[in-house]
Structure formats: structure tokens, C-alpha cells
Amino acid sequence: MHQRGQKILIVDDERLNIRVLDEMLRDTYEVSVALSGEEALEVVRIVVPDLILLDIQMPGMDGYEVCRRLMADEATRSVPIVFVTAMHEKDDEQRGLELGAVDYITKPFHPAIILSRLKNHLKLQQLNRQLKQQVEQEVALRMTAQQEHELSRQLLIQQSKMAEMGSMLGAIAHQWQQPLCTVSILTESVLCAHQNKLLDEAYLKETTESVLQQIRFMAKTVEDFRRFLVPSKEKVVFNLLTSVQEIIALIGKEFELRDIALDVHCPRKVRVIGYPNEVKQVVLNLLNNARDALSERKCTDPRVSVTIEAIASSARVMVCDNGGGISEDLLPEKLFDPFETTKGEKGTGIGLSLAKQIITRMDGTIAATNTHEGACFILTLPLAGEDA
């Protein structure tokens, strides 16, 4: 059921289009309008809407650029964007969805279809917000006065994972948007084919397989997330590159949306002995720290590189960025002290301290240094073997 308080922003340079959409939506939603991309960006700085209907072909800043900027901004990146446009080419639709839009509706449109799709996207948006609030409430309940003064290693691990969970949930939401849109379109196409007496067994079989393929992708995303949350019980031999790739598969979209290049270099297979999920947690923390630093400092041509190599009896993982580096008074060891953070009030000071505990427990080391471009974190772990 729609809620009257939900806010929708219509962005279109054609007043007739705005009038049609406004008349369709104003009895159910709080509607605001913008006649250009530039005006839309100004509007969302004042009040962030629950959903944006965005035209593509506009003078000055087009809809694609508006979408890219909204997705790159922390305040608006979770707002669903639905393109409403006269552009019918598949390449146009693909480009819009790749930029982060949740749907693509071509003109002329049917009011019932518009209302149905908006209802689904707003419901998903509401569920995402509720889930985020539940996570935040869980964190708040755990942070009692006694726990703040008597942090144990297990409590540190749990709090650190909860702190990363918001980012992970955001990544999952972005990965789900496109398959959900595809499933919606395929479902409507079956109904349309049935109404036009074009629904045969071959068409139904092909469409069903396409829907199942999207569902399998979404299920795999949830399973990857679930595995990340389960602590490793004992040391095992595992491939470092595989662990890094699994983390990047979960959070890589976050880097794309911020235009941050993320490169992995691993010339040969490198296997180590340790706790794979805990290593993934350390790598995730380092990648998120680099991403946040690059975004906050608005670096030109931001880049993060992950290099994996084997040297003598040790494996080495280097996570480096071009974000300007770490304050010298935190190097070489103070950075890893509990409650030391480079993020000001946004940081907990737990992540790097916990990373050091995890790597030390695996008979490894973690160090931080500055290069001529930025910060570089170096992990060393016991080498199990390597294959060319």
C-alpha cells in the first residue's frame, strides 16, 4: 500500500510530460519537479526523495550524467532512479541500468504500469531502510557501558563485522536492482504475449529460464554474504587470489559508482595457511578504508591496487592507493592501536586493531607505510605453496 508521505522527484525539461506524471501521482505521493539536470541536483541537496523519475534527453546535463552523480553521492546513492524516456534502443536501456538505475520505462507509457513499478521499487526501498535500521539497533543494543570498557577479542570481531555490514548491504542492494528489474520486465512480457495470443511453449520456456537465471544470481549473492559472516573454525590451506576476488565481487560495484579504479595483480597462484574468512575481513576493511579516503579527499584519477606475491616462505598482500597517505604521527605502529582512527568521528578505531590481531593469530604481520602517491598496507602470511 502506498504511503502519502513518500516523495517522488520528476526531472524532465518538457512541462507536458511533468504535468501528465504529476496528475498521475499527486493523489498518492508528494511530488516535486525539476526542469533540468542541474536543478535536480540542487533539489536533492535540500530534500532527498524516495524515488526519482528521470528523463534522459535534456539540454545541458543529460539524465545519464545526473544518474552518475547521484550514484556517486553517499546521500543519494540509495535512492531508486527510474528512467522515463522516449529512447527505445536496447543499448540506451543497458547503459541506464549499468549506471545504477533500477528501471527503464519508454514513452508513451501506460499509467497502470508506471504505478505498479513505482509501488514495487518503493516497497523494496522501504525494506532496505528497515533492514538497515534493524542492523543499527542491534549494534546499539550491544554497545552497553560494560562492553565499552571490557572489549574482548570476540566482541571486537563482531562489532567490526557489524560496522562493515552497512557497506555490504548497500553492495547487495545495488547487485539486486538490475536482476529485479529484469524479472519485472520478463513477467510483464509474458502477460503481454498472452494477451496478444503470442504465448507458446518455446517463449514460455525461454522466459522462465531467464527469470530463474536472475533468481540464481540473487541467491548466490546472499550465499556469498552469509559465508563471509561465518568465522573460520580452523586453519586451512586456501588461495589468496580467490579470497580477494570473492570480496571484490561483493563490493566492486561501490568502487565503480565512485569512479575508483580497482586493480588486482597476482602473477601466479599463491596459497597460504590460515583462516580464510578472517583474511577476507581484513582485506575488506583495507579496501573500504582506501575507498573512503579517496572519496573524502576527492582525489583525481583515484586508484586502489591489490598485489599478491610469494617471497621466500611468506606470501605478501599489498593494498595501496593514491589518496595522499597516512599522517606520519600514526606510523609505523600507532595506527594499529585500539580506537586510533584516520576517519575522525566516522571511524571506530577497531578495524585496523582487529586486523592486526587476526593476522598475528595466523603467524603473520601487518604494516602500513606511505608511498609517493598514498597509503600502502602490507600483509605477510605463512606460505603453503605456489604454482606457476
Side-chain angles (χ1 to χ4, degrees), residues 326-383:
I326 303 165
S327 176
E328 291 294 337
D329 63 343
L330 294 176
L331 297 176
E333 294 294 334
K334 188 177 180 182
L335 185 65
F336 299 100
D337 291 344
F339 309 114
E340 285 292 341
T341 176
T342 61
K343 298 182 179 181
E345 295 182 356
K346 294 182 180 180
T348 63
I350 293 175
L352 291 177
S353 173
L354 177 60
K356 184 174 182 179
Q357 291 186 37
I358 289 173
I359 298 303
T360 300
R361 193 160 67 98
M362 292 174 55
D363 301 318
T365 63
I366 180 171
T369 186
N370 284 328
T371 67
H372 68 283
E373 288 188 318
C376 192
F377 286 84
I378 304 170
L379 311 178
T380 60
L381 297 166
L383 188 64

Coordinates of all heavy atoms in Angstrom, one line a residue, residues 326-383:
I326 N 49.0 8.5 4.9 CA 48.6 8.5 6.3 C 49.4 9.5 7.1 O 50.6 9.7 6.8 CB 48.8 7.1 6.9 CG1 48.0 6.0 6.1 CG2 48.3 7.1 8.4 CD1 48.4 4.6 6.4
S327 N 48.8 10.1 8.1 CA 49.6 11.1 8.9 C 50.8 10.4 9.5 O 50.7 9.3 10.1 CB 48.7 11.6 10.0 OG 49.4 12.5 10.9
E328 N 51.9 11.0 9.4 CA 53.2 10.4 9.9 C 53.2 10.1 11.4 O 53.9 9.2 11.8 CB 54.4 11.3 9.6 CG 54.7 11.4 8.1 CD 55.1 10.1 7.5 OE1 55.7 9.3 8.2 OE2 55.0 9.9 6.3
D329 N 52.4 10.9 12.2 CA 52.4 10.6 13.6 C 51.7 9.3 14.0 O 51.7 8.8 15.1 CB 51.8 11.8 14.4 CG 50.3 12.0 14.0 OD1 49.8 11.5 13.0 OD2 49.6 12.7 14.8
L330 N 51.0 8.7 13.0 CA 50.3 7.4 13.2 C 51.2 6.2 12.8 O 50.8 5.1 13.0 CB 49.0 7.3 12.5 CG 47.9 8.3 13.0 CD1 46.6 8.2 12.1 CD2 47.5 8.0 14.5
L331 N 52.3 6.5 12.1 CA 53.2 5.5 11.6 C 54.4 5.3 12.5 O 54.8 6.3 13.2 CB 53.6 5.8 10.2 CG 52.5 5.9 9.2 CD1 53.1 6.3 7.8 CD2 51.8 4.5 9.0
P332 N 55.0 4.1 12.6 CA 54.5 2.9 11.9 C 53.5 2.0 12.7 O 52.8 1.2 12.1 CB 55.8 2.1 11.8 CG 56.6 2.5 13.0 CD 56.3 3.9 13.3
E333 N 53.4 2.2 14.0 CA 52.6 1.3 14.8 C 51.3 1.8 15.4 O 50.3 1.1 15.7 CB 53.4 0.6 15.9 CG 54.5 -0.2 15.5 CD 54.0 -1.5 14.8 OE1 52.9 -1.9 15.1 OE2 54.7 -2.0 13.9
K334 N 51.3 3.1 15.7 CA 50.2 3.7 16.4 C 48.8 3.5 15.7 O 47.8 3.4 16.3 CB 50.4 5.2 16.6 CG 49.4 5.9 17.6 CD 49.8 7.4 17.8 CE 48.7 8.0 18.8 NZ 49.0 9.4 19.0
L335 N 48.9 3.5 14.4 CA 47.7 3.3 13.6 C 46.9 2.0 14.0 O 45.7 2.0 13.8 CB 48.0 3.2 12.1 CG 46.9 3.2 11.1 CD1 46.1 4.5 11.1 CD2 47.5 2.9 9.7
F336 N 47.6 1.0 14.5 CA 47.0 -0.3 14.8 C 46.6 -0.4 16.3 O 46.1 -1.4 16.7 CB 48.0 -1.4 14.5 CG 48.3 -1.5 13.0 CD1 49.5 -0.9 12.6 CD2 47.4 -2.0 12.1 CE1 49.9 -1.0 11.2 CE2 47.8 -2.1 10.8 CZ 49.0 -1.5 10.3
D337 N 46.7 0.7 17.0 CA 46.3 0.7 18.4 C 44.8 0.8 18.5 O 44.1 1.4 17.6 CB 46.9 1.9 19.2 CG 48.4 1.8 19.4 OD1 48.9 0.7 19.3 OD2 49.0 2.8 19.7
P338 N 44.1 0.2 19.5 CA 42.7 0.3 19.6 C 42.2 1.7 19.7 O 42.8 2.6 20.4 CB 42.4 -0.5 20.9 CG 43.5 -1.4 21.1 CD 44.7 -0.7 20.5
F339 N 41.1 2.1 19.0 CA 40.4 3.3 19.0 C 41.2 4.5 18.3 O 40.8 5.6 18.3 CB 40.1 3.8 20.4 CG 39.3 2.7 21.1 CD1 39.9 2.1 22.2 CD2 38.1 2.3 20.7 CE1 39.2 1.1 22.9 CE2 37.4 1.3 21.4 CZ 37.9 0.7 22.5
E340 N 42.4 4.1 17.6 CA 43.0 5.1 16.8 C 42.4 5.0 15.4 O 42.2 3.9 14.8 CB 44.5 4.8 16.6 CG 45.3 5.1 17.9 CD 45.4 6.6 18.1 OE1 45.2 7.4 17.1 OE2 45.7 7.0 19.2
T341 N 42.0 6.2 14.8 CA 41.3 6.2 13.5 C 41.8 7.4 12.7 O 42.1 8.4 13.3 CB 39.8 6.2 13.7 OG1 39.2 6.2 12.4 CG2 39.3 7.3 14.5
T342 N 41.7 7.2 11.4 CA 42.0 8.3 10.5 C 40.7 9.0 10.0 O 40.8 9.9 9.1 CB 42.8 7.8 9.3 OG1 42.1 6.8 8.6 CG2 44.2 7.3 9.7
K343 N 39.6 8.5 10.4 CA 38.3 8.9 9.9 C 37.6 9.9 10.8 O 36.4 10.2 10.5 CB 37.4 7.7 9.6 CG 37.9 6.7 8.6 CD 36.9 5.6 8.4 CE 37.4 4.6 7.4 NZ 36.5 3.5 7.2
G344 N 38.2 10.4 11.8 CA 37.5 11.3 12.7 C 36.3 10.6 13.4 O 36.4 9.5 13.8
E345 N 35.2 11.4 13.5 CA 34.0 10.8 14.2 C 33.4 9.7 13.5 O 32.6 8.9 14.0 CB 33.0 11.9 14.4 CG 33.5 13.1 15.4 CD 32.5 14.1 15.6 OE1 31.4 14.0 15.0 OE2 32.7 15.0 16.4
K346 N 33.7 9.5 12.2 CA 33.1 8.5 11.4 C 33.7 7.1 11.7 O 33.1 6.1 11.4 CB 33.2 8.8 9.9 CG 32.4 10.0 9.5 CD 32.5 10.2 8.0 CE 31.8 11.4 7.5 NZ 31.9 11.6 6.0
G347 N 34.9 7.1 12.2 CA 35.6 5.8 12.4 C 35.5 5.3 13.9 O 35.2 6.1 14.8
T348 N 35.6 4.0 14.1 CA 35.5 3.4 15.4 C 36.9 3.1 15.9 O 37.1 3.0 17.2 CB 34.8 2.1 15.3 OG1 35.5 1.2 14.5 CG2 33.4 2.3 14.8
G349 N 37.9 3.1 15.1 CA 39.3 2.7 15.6 C 39.4 1.3 15.9 O 40.4 0.9 16.6
I350 N 38.5 0.4 15.5 CA 38.5 -1.0 15.8 C 39.1 -1.8 14.6 O 39.8 -2.8 14.8 CB 37.1 -1.5 16.1 CG1 36.6 -0.9 17.4 CG2 37.0 -3.0 16.2 CD1 35.2 -1.2 17.8
G351 N 38.8 -1.4 13.4 CA 39.1 -2.2 12.2 C 40.5 -2.6 12.1 O 40.9 -3.8 12.0
L352 N 41.5 -1.7 12.1 CA 42.9 -2.0 12.0 C 43.5 -2.7 13.2 O 44.4 -3.6 13.0 CB 43.7 -0.7 11.7 CG 43.4 -0.1 10.3 CD1 44.2 1.2 10.1 CD2 43.8 -1.1 9.2
S353 N 43.0 -2.4 14.4 CA 43.4 -3.1 15.6 C 43.0 -4.5 15.5 O 43.8 -5.4 15.8 CB 42.8 -2.4 16.8 OG 43.1 -3.2 18.0
L354 N 41.8 -4.8 15.0 CA 41.3 -6.2 14.9 C 42.1 -6.9 13.8 O 42.5 -8.0 13.9 CB 39.9 -6.2 14.6 CG 39.2 -7.5 14.3 CD1 39.4 -8.5 15.5 CD2 37.8 -7.4 14.0
A355 N 42.4 -6.1 12.7 CA 43.2 -6.7 11.6 C 44.5 -7.2 12.1 O 45.0 -8.3 11.7 CB 43.4 -5.7 10.5
K356 N 45.2 -6.5 12.9 CA 46.5 -6.9 13.4 C 46.3 -8.1 14.3 O 47.2 -9.0 14.2 CB 47.1 -5.7 14.3 CG 48.5 -6.1 14.8 CD 49.1 -4.9 15.5 CE 50.5 -5.2 15.9 NZ 51.2 -4.1 16.6
Q357 N 45.3 -8.2 15.1 CA 45.1 -9.4 15.9 C 44.8 -10.6 15.1 O 45.4 -11.7 15.3 CB 43.8 -9.2 16.8 CG 44.0 -8.2 17.9 CD 42.8 -8.1 18.9 OE1 42.2 -9.1 19.2 NE2 42.5 -6.9 19.3
I358 N 44.0 -10.5 14.0 CA 43.7 -11.6 13.1 C 45.0 -12.1 12.4 O 45.3 -13.3 12.4 CB 42.7 -11.2 12.1 CG1 41.3 -11.0 12.7 CG2 42.6 -12.2 11.0 CD1 40.3 -10.4 11.8
I359 N 45.8 -11.2 11.9 CA 47.0 -11.6 11.1 C 48.0 -12.1 12.1 O 48.7 -13.1 11.7 CB 47.5 -10.4 10.3 CG1 46.5 -9.9 9.3 CG2 48.8 -10.8 9.6 CD1 46.0 -10.9 8.3
T360 N 48.2 -11.6 13.3 CA 49.1 -12.1 14.2 C 48.7 -13.5 14.6 O 49.6 -14.4 14.8 CB 49.2 -11.2 15.5 OG1 49.6 -9.9 15.1 CG2 50.2 -11.7 16.5
R361 N 47.5 -13.8 14.8 CA 47.0 -15.1 15.2 C 47.3 -16.1 14.1 O 47.4 -17.3 14.4 CB 45.5 -15.1 15.5 CG 44.9 -16.3 16.2 CD 43.6 -16.0 16.8 NE 42.6 -15.8 15.9 CZ 41.7 -16.7 15.5 NH1 41.7 -17.9 16.0 NH2 40.7 -16.4 14.6
M362 N 47.5 -15.7 12.9 CA 47.9 -16.6 11.8 C 49.4 -16.6 11.6 O 49.8 -17.0 10.5 CB 47.2 -16.1 10.5 CG 45.6 -16.2 10.6 SD 44.8 -15.5 9.1 CE 45.6 -16.3 7.8
D363 N 50.1 -16.1 12.6 CA 51.6 -16.1 12.5 C 52.1 -15.2 11.3 O 53.1 -15.5 10.7 CB 52.2 -17.5 12.3 CG 51.8 -18.5 13.5 OD1 51.8 -18.0 14.6 OD2 51.4 -19.6 13.2
G364 N 51.3 -14.1 11.1 CA 51.7 -13.2 10.1 C 51.9 -11.8 10.6 O 51.9 -11.6 11.8
T365 N 52.1 -10.9 9.7 CA 52.3 -9.5 10.2 C 51.5 -8.5 9.3 O 51.2 -8.9 8.1 CB 53.8 -9.1 10.1 OG1 54.2 -9.1 8.7 CG2 54.7 -10.0 11.0
I366 N 51.2 -7.3 9.8 CA 50.6 -6.3 9.0 C 51.3 -5.0 9.3 O 51.7 -4.7 10.4 CB 49.1 -6.1 9.3 CG1 48.5 -5.0 8.5 CG2 48.9 -5.9 10.8 CD1 46.9 -5.0 8.6
A367 N 51.6 -4.3 8.2 CA 52.4 -3.0 8.4 C 51.8 -2.0 7.4 O 51.1 -2.3 6.5 CB 53.8 -3.2 8.1
A368 N 52.0 -0.7 7.8 CA 51.5 0.4 7.0 C 52.6 1.4 6.6 O 53.5 1.6 7.5 CB 50.4 1.2 7.7
T369 N 52.6 1.9 5.4 CA 53.7 2.9 5.0 C 53.1 3.8 4.0 O 51.9 3.6 3.5 CB 54.9 2.1 4.4 OG1 55.9 3.1 4.2 CG2 54.5 1.4 3.1
N370 N 53.8 4.9 3.7 CA 53.4 5.8 2.7 C 54.3 5.7 1.5 O 55.5 5.6 1.6 CB 53.4 7.3 3.2 CG 52.3 7.6 4.2 OD1 51.2 7.1 4.0 ND2 52.5 8.5 5.1
T371 N 53.7 5.7 0.3 CA 54.4 5.8 -0.9 C 54.4 7.2 -1.4 O 53.8 8.1 -0.7 CB 53.8 4.9 -2.0 OG1 52.5 5.4 -2.4 CG2 53.7 3.4 -1.4
H372 N 54.9 7.5 -2.6 CA 54.9 8.9 -3.1 C 53.5 9.2 -3.6 O 53.2 10.4 -3.8 CB 55.8 9.0 -4.3 CG 55.4 8.2 -5.5 ND1 55.6 6.8 -5.6 CD2 54.8 8.6 -6.7 CE1 55.1 6.4 -6.8 NE2 54.7 7.4 -7.4
E373 N 52.5 8.3 -3.6 CA 51.2 8.6 -4.1 C 50.2 8.5 -2.9 O 49.2 9.3 -2.9 CB 50.7 7.6 -5.2 CG 51.4 7.8 -6.5 CD 50.7 7.0 -7.6 OE1 50.5 5.8 -7.3 OE2 50.5 7.5 -8.7
G374 N 50.4 7.6 -2.0 CA 49.4 7.4 -0.9 C 49.8 6.3 0.0 O 51.0 6.1 0.3
A375 N 48.8 5.7 0.7 CA 49.0 4.7 1.7 C 49.2 3.3 1.1 O 48.6 3.0 0.1 CB 47.8 4.7 2.7
C376 N 49.9 2.5 1.8 CA 50.1 1.1 1.4 C 50.2 0.2 2.6 O 51.0 0.4 3.5 CB 51.4 1.0 0.6 SG 51.6 -0.6 -0.3
F377 N 49.3 -0.8 2.7 CA 49.2 -1.8 3.7 C 49.8 -3.1 3.2 O 49.4 -3.5 2.1 CB 47.8 -1.9 4.3 CG 47.3 -0.8 5.1 CD1 46.8 0.3 4.4 CD2 47.4 -0.8 6.4 CE1 46.3 1.4 5.2 CE2 46.9 0.3 7.2 CZ 46.4 1.4 6.6
I378 N 50.6 -3.7 4.0 CA 51.3 -4.9 3.6 C 51.0 -6.0 4.6 O 51.3 -5.9 5.8 CB 52.9 -4.7 3.5 CG1 53.2 -3.5 2.6 CG2 53.5 -6.0 3.0 CD1 54.6 -3.1 2.6
L379 N 50.4 -7.1 4.1 CA 50.1 -8.3 4.9 C 51.1 -9.4 4.6 O 51.4 -9.6 3.4 CB 48.7 -8.8 4.7 CG 47.5 -7.9 4.7 CD1 46.3 -8.6 4.4 CD2 47.4 -7.2 6.1
T380 N 51.7 -10.1 5.5 CA 52.5 -11.2 5.3 C 51.9 -12.4 6.0 O 51.5 -12.3 7.2 CB 54.0 -11.1 5.7 OG1 54.0 -10.8 7.1 CG2 54.6 -9.9 5.0
L381 N 51.8 -13.6 5.3 CA 51.2 -14.8 5.8 C 52.1 -16.0 5.5 O 52.8 -16.0 4.5 CB 49.8 -15.0 5.2 CG 48.8 -13.9 5.6 CD1 47.6 -14.0 4.6 CD2 48.4 -13.9 7.0
P382 N 52.0 -17.0 6.3 CA 52.8 -18.2 6.0 C 52.4 -18.9 4.7 O 51.2 -19.1 4.4 CB 52.4 -19.2 7.2 CG 51.9 -18.3 8.3 CD 51.2 -17.2 7.6
L383 N 53.4 -19.1 3.9 CA 53.1 -19.7 2.6 C 52.9 -21.2 2.6 O 53.7 -21.9 3.2 CB 54.3 -19.3 1.7 CG 54.2 -19.6 0.2 CD1 53.1 -18.8 -0.5 CD2 55.6 -19.4 -0.5

